[in-house]
Amino acid sequence: MKPIRVLTVGMTATAGGVENFLMSYLGRIDKTRVRFDFLTRYEDAAFPDKRREIGSTYVIPRRSEDPAKYYKEIRAFFEQQAGEYDVLWDNECMFSDMTPLKLAAQYGIPVRIAHSHMPQNMDPSLAGKGRGALHRVQRRGLARYANVLWACSEESAKWACPDMNLPVTIIPNAIDAPAYRFDPAVRAQVRAHYGWEDCLVVGDVGRLQYQKNQSFLLEAFARLHEREPRARLALVGEGPNLMSLEAKAVDLGVDNEVFFLGHRDDVPRLLQAFDLFVMPSRFEGLGMAAVEAQAAGLPCLLSDAFPHAAAITQDVAFLPPEDPDRWAERLLDMLQARELSLRPDNTTAIARAGYDLTGAAEQLTARFEQIVREQSGFKRRFLLSQEGAETADALAEKARDDVQRIAMENGYALRCLPAHRQQGRWWQRISQTGKLLLAWSKMFLQLRHGDLLLVQYPLYPQGDARLTRAALHMLQWKGAKTAALVHDLDSLRQVRDAAARWSDQELLPRFDTLIVQNERMADYLQGQGARAGAIIFGQMRAYMTDAPLPERTLAHAVCVVGDLSCKHSRYLHDLPRTHLAWHLYGEGWKEMANRSDITWYGEEPTGLSGAFGLVWDGASTRVISGAQGAYTMLTSPLAMSLYLANGLPVIVWKWSAVASFVRENNLGLVVDTIDAIPAAIDALTAEEYAMMAASARHWGEQLRRGEMTRAALKQLG
């Protein structure tokens, strides 16, 4: 099989973040699967030796130096060479020049990736401001030429494409994490070389320019040095601000304590010698240097302009780059804490977060193969969300947030409907309806034949379901595909009454595809008119969290999370008095002082106690009847996902939709009544419970990663 051919744009003469990103990844990718060439505007583009090892380099003039020659030669290049490539990969901090993307579209390169590496303009010069203005004008039309958007962070994606009307994938700024693992011998060598044996060394790695804000860092360091004479500052990098920074160090009287180390190829060695890493950047796409510092086991003090995704370890602090004295105090506190602690090995945490180069390079290779494989029927994917959706509770809101996160990680662009309430004065309702019509009209104009619109269902308020059905009909008439991921069926719970029934019976079956929770729900919806071949099973809903996953041991303790009010969970107020301990989390509980077997922890379901999680509903401890019973027999409760994600085996009603899933996977107990729970727990041995807990952890880890939801989206296409 021939390798995929990728034409890479974006290499400049500076060995900066974009260039290091490309060289790091491309040096690890198997040439038999993906082959890279380079198109650059710089004769002296960075890393010439590495580029020669990877592929061919083609040089065209810079537009700013000779526009006529630039346009002539780049057009001639695409006329002659475009047919050789499957992918154009345009890596930019600003899309002020979209000529490569335009010509790639014109000359038929099927996959055109716009890759954004920065969340705002990094050049404060007059020329840079001009390019920034041009970027802001042109980026609205990015989707006309690119058909894929990659970025190092969500902020960078929005900087490149504020409409977010392209499939988005976040590509991590990965590193060779083991190369940064702490080595005491290397630390001693570097510190001896610079005379830092008895010093506290603060280090910064980055280009010396406006974005990185080293001028502010010098001010903070001067104040730090007044408090701690052993402090030293090492600045690794080169750039246009070098001379002004050297002069400022002299003015501040710290020129003997500040080390300008220039551009270095041995950054992993230098990081061993530091005691603290600091970056007061004015803005950052992600901050590769901060990831490297954490891989080296360093505590980090970063400006709050960093995406918080940059905090992979617990030893990262964020401050606004405004007050040098505050930074000096925080630097001193972190340095003193570091003196009393060991240097941790963070390579496992780096890999788990997706920033280790070995795994990330394989994932990038797979992404290239996937998008090229899909090129013949390539479609854009959109996820429809709502501002201020009337979700039932915090768990329901988190479920929607998790789906949104997973979808965006899998190339979905986010579209939003405005908040809409069906209360208020008549003119307010008319205004809200007008805004909703405008949003649907924009969506109709943006979506094209073959695009996919995925809706998180229900859409609220459900009184607008008729308008939604008309909008879906128009999109389908245009050739767009529509799908609904079903979170809830409010008509089963007898909430929102006629509006919910109309939405579930008349709107939901009109989608081209439905992602439902289980076979029972699928059978029910087929009875409402949904086509059997248009249904995908999502199984358990995701519950994504990075909280510790505790080990569980057998105990007579049961956890309940949800709406604890008497109206919704009357059974809790009639729990039989047994040797069980009950741990309650949620709203609506009026604490019973006379029940020593019941403990209420508050409204936030974190750090769940107990040995089992109970999935129950309604008024009775003996049976789930009425509307709650019908609902339980058709849905997979969010509480069950929460319990499993916390490593808790579950207890479910034997007629519930999830009972067979629990039995088949040994995830807990299936009971007739709550009265039967004590005997069922008594009958378990420690070994049997350990097997249940291991199975719960296994499935919980999948739910934490959202694997079932990801599989459903993959099946959707």
Side-chain angles (χ1 to χ4, degrees):
M1 182 177 178
K2 294 194 304 182
I4 294 168
R5 297 289 305 279
V6 179
L7 180 62
T8 307
V9 178
M11 291 292 296
T12 73
T14 302
V18 174
E19 292 76 15
N20 277 286
F21 166 88
L22 289 172
M23 291 301 101
S24 297
Y25 267 100
L26 272 52
R28 292 294 188 96
I29 289 179
D30 185 351
K31 291 182 181 179
T32 64
R33 296 170 66 185
V34 185
R35 178 182 160 190
F36 298 90
D37 292 334
F38 301 90
L39 179 66
T40 179
R41 307 170 181 93
Y42 296 84
E43 285 279 359
D44 56 345
F47 302 110
D49 294 336
K50 290 184 179 179
R51 281 189 285 107
R52 276 192 290 271
E53 293 175 4
I54 293 168
S56 302
T57 298
Y58 302 94
V59 181
I60 54 176
R62 297 182 65 183
R63 184 174 65 170
S64 58
E65 295 176 352
D66 191 339
K69 189 175 182 182
Y70 166 74
Y71 286 114
K72 179 182 178 181
E73 292 197 13
I74 193 171
R75 181 172 291 277
F77 172 84
F78 277 94
E79 285 178 350
Q80 298 168 14
Q81 307 284 123
E84 298 181 14
Y85 295 102
D86 305 294
V87 180
L88 176 84
W89 184 19
D90 193 356
N91 295 267
E92 304 288 354
C93 295
M94 292 190 294
F95 288 93
S96 54
D97 179 13
M98 292 200 293
T99 306
L101 288 167
K102 291 178 181 179
L103 292 175
Q106 180 178 343
Y107 289 99
I109 296 180
V111 178
R112 302 173 297 279
I113 304 169
H115 193 151
S116 176
H117 292 268
M118 198 60 63
Q120 59 177 284
N121 188 357
M122 62 186 291
D123 189 348
S125 68
L126 183 60
K129 290 179 179 177
R131 287 191 291 271
L134 188 58
H135 165 80
R136 289 183 176 88
V137 171
Q138 294 203 142
R139 64 185 181 177
R140 295 289 179 183
L142 186 63
R144 294 174 58 191
Y145 309 111
N147 49 22
V148 180
L149 176 61
W150 286 357
C152 59
S153 66
E154 186 174 343
E155 293 81 0
S156 296
K158 290 178 179 177
W159 164 246
C161 188
D163 290 338
M164 296 294 278
N165 56 350
L166 284 169
V168 181
T169 301
I170 304 302
I171 306 296
N173 286 350
I175 62 170
D176 183 7
Y180 293 84
R181 185 181 286 116
F182 179 61
D183 186 332
V186 172
R187 175 179 171 85
Q189 292 170 7
V190 177
R191 290 174 73 90
H193 177 76
Y194 289 105
W196 294 339
E197 292 94 334
D198 298 318
C199 299
L200 295 174
V201 182
V202 177
D204 174 278
V205 179
R207 185 164 165 76
L208 306 180
Q209 62 176 25
Y210 170 82
Q211 176 206 351
K212 301 299 182 180
N213 206 14
Q214 288 98 347
S215 178
F216 174 86
L217 177 55
L218 285 175
E219 294 177 18
F221 174 75
R223 290 160 171 78
L224 170 65
H225 190 259
E226 291 174 1
R227 296 164 170 81
E228 174 52 81
R230 293 182 297 159
R232 301 291 184 269
L233 176 63
L235 297 177
V236 181
E238 57 187 17
N241 290 0
L242 173 60
M243 294 181 64
S244 63
L245 291 171
E246 289 176 332
K248 185 162 189 172
V250 173
D251 291 341
L252 293 169
V254 292
D255 50 306
N256 291 326
E257 286 76 33
V258 178
F259 293 75
F260 291 90
L261 303 182
H263 172 70
R264 301 293 291 259
D265 293 325
D266 61 343
V267 170
R269 285 178 55 84
L270 292 175
L271 290 174
Q272 310 300 309
F274 296 169
D275 297 293
L276 175 64
F277 182 83
V278 60
M279 286 191 81
S281 302
R282 288 183 168 91
F283 51 89
E284 281 289 347
L286 179 79
M288 208 166 174
V291 178
E292 295 170 346
Q294 291 171 81
L298 285 169
C300 299
L301 181 59
L302 311 176
S303 81
D304 61 357
F306 274 77
H308 279 219
I312 298 167
T313 68
Q314 299 295 316
D315 214 357
V316 178
F318 298 92
L319 279 180
E322 298 167 355
D323 185 349
D325 285 304
R326 186 181 177 193
W327 275 67
E329 290 293 339
R330 192 60 177 269
L331 289 168
L332 183 59
D333 290 344
M334 295 178 76
L335 285 170
Q336 291 173 342
R338 172 54 63 201
E339 282 193 289
L340 301 175
S341 62
L342 298 174
R343 191 86 162 243
D345 184 348
N346 291 330
T347 52
T348 301
I350 297 292
R352 188 182 301 118
Y355 290 95
D356 180 58
L357 194 55
T358 301
E362 174 57 33
Q363 289 180 1
L364 189 66
T365 304
R367 285 192 178 97
F368 276 118
E369 292 174 336
Q370 179 184 3
I371 59 178
V372 170
R373 185 167 58 246
E374 295 174 346
Q375 68 185 9
S376 59
F378 192 88
K379 58 175 176 269
R380 299 178 301 166
R381 300 170 181 85
F382 296 86
L383 176 71
L384 183 62
S385 186
Q386 283 183 285
E387 301 170 355
E390 299 174 349
T391 48
D393 51 40
L395 277 180
E397 183 177 344
K398 174 166 174 48
R400 288 176 177 257
D401 290 344
D402 285 345
V403 168
Q404 180 172 313
R405 174 181 168 186
I406 293 167
M408 293 184 71
E409 288 175 357
N410 284 270
Y412 282 75
L414 182 63
R415 313 308 298 156
C416 283
L417 290 178
H420 188 197
R421 302 289 182 268
Q422 290 191 314
Q423 293 86 28
R425 298 179 182 272
W426 65 268
W427 56 268
Q428 290 175 318
R429 295 196 298 271
I430 291 175
S431 174
Q432 291 173 348
T433 302
K435 291 178 181 178
L436 192 61
L437 279 168
L438 180 60
W440 278 115
S441 298
K442 288 181 177 178
M443 217 170 307
F444 177 79
L445 294 174
Q446 289 171 350
L447 267 67
R448 301 193 291 262
H449 186 280
D451 287 347
L452 171 67
L453 179 67
L454 174 62
V455 175
Q456 297 207 62
Y457 183 89
L459 283 173
Y460 296 111
Q462 290 175 313
D464 290 326
R466 286 175 170 81
L467 174 58
T468 302
R469 191 175 77 165
L472 292 178
H473 176 74
M474 293 302 295
L475 289 171
Q476 291 165 338
W477 171 80
K478 194 176 182 180
K481 300 298 181 182
T482 62
L485 188 149
V486 182
H487 287 283
D488 222 335
L489 296 172
D490 284 342
S491 62
L492 292 179
R493 297 192 295 140
Q494 296 184 358
V495 297
R496 299 181 177 91
D497 300 329
R501 287 196 300 274
W502 199 94
S503 181
D504 289 352
Q505 296 171 8
E506 301 296 334
L507 169 61
L508 193 53
R510 299 300 184 268
F511 286 89
D512 296 309
T513 308
L514 300 178
I515 299 177
V516 303
Q517 298 165 21
N518 53 63
E519 291 186 12
R520 287 191 188 175
M521 182 179 283
D523 291 341
Y524 172 79
L525 291 176
Q526 287 176 44
Q528 302 297 319
R531 292 182 295 108
I535 292 179
I536 295 170
F537 296 110
Q539 297 289 352
M540 299 301 301
R541 286 178 277 179
Y543 191 92
M544 302 182 73
T545 176
D546 295 324
L549 186 58
E551 296 286 345
R552 301 288 179 177
T553 55
L554 180 59
H556 290 78
V558 180
C559 170
V560 180
V561 175
D563 184 345
L564 309 177
S565 66
C566 190
K567 178 181 178 181
H568 186 271
S569 302
R570 180 70 180 83
Y571 76 92
L572 285 173
H573 302 260
D574 295 323
L575 288 173
R577 291 179 179 272
T578 64
H579 57 284
L580 295 182
W582 295 90
H583 303 274
L584 309 186
Y585 300 80
E587 298 179 352
W589 181 255
K590 293 182 180 179
E591 192 168 358
M592 296 181 180
N594 62 336
R595 290 292 299 263
S596 59
D597 58 336
I598 297 177
T599 305
W600 179 54
Y601 293 86
E603 299 176 359
E604 294 296 326
T606 56
L608 301 183
S609 300
F612 295 91
L614 176 64
V615 181
W616 202 267
D617 205 348
S620 173
T621 60
R622 296 186 173 277
V623 67
I624 306 179
S625 59
Q628 291 98 338
Y631 184 74
T632 302
M633 286 190 282
L634 293 180
T635 60
S636 301
L638 282 166
M640 182 167 165
S641 294
L642 169 62
Y643 295 142
L644 294 176
N646 280 272
L648 273 172
V650 295
I651 301 173
V652 301
W653 184 42
K654 74 172 184 178
W655 300 111
S656 66
V658 295
S660 60
F661 185 77
V662 171
R663 288 194 193 95
E664 291 167 5
N665 295 285
N666 193 28
L667 290 173
L669 302 174
V670 178
V671 297
D672 289 331
T673 68
I674 288 180
D675 293 343
I677 294 175
I681 296 177
D682 289 341
L684 284 176
T685 65
E687 291 76 14
E688 289 171 335
Y689 179 83
M691 294 177 64
M692 282 183 183
S695 183
R697 286 176 63 87
H698 169 73
W699 286 96
E701 287 169 349
Q702 293 189 52
L703 295 172
R704 284 167 164 248
R705 296 190 294 267
E707 289 186 5
M708 295 181 187
T709 303
R710 294 179 196 276
L713 294 185
K714 185 176 181 180
Q715 189 176 348
L716 182 59

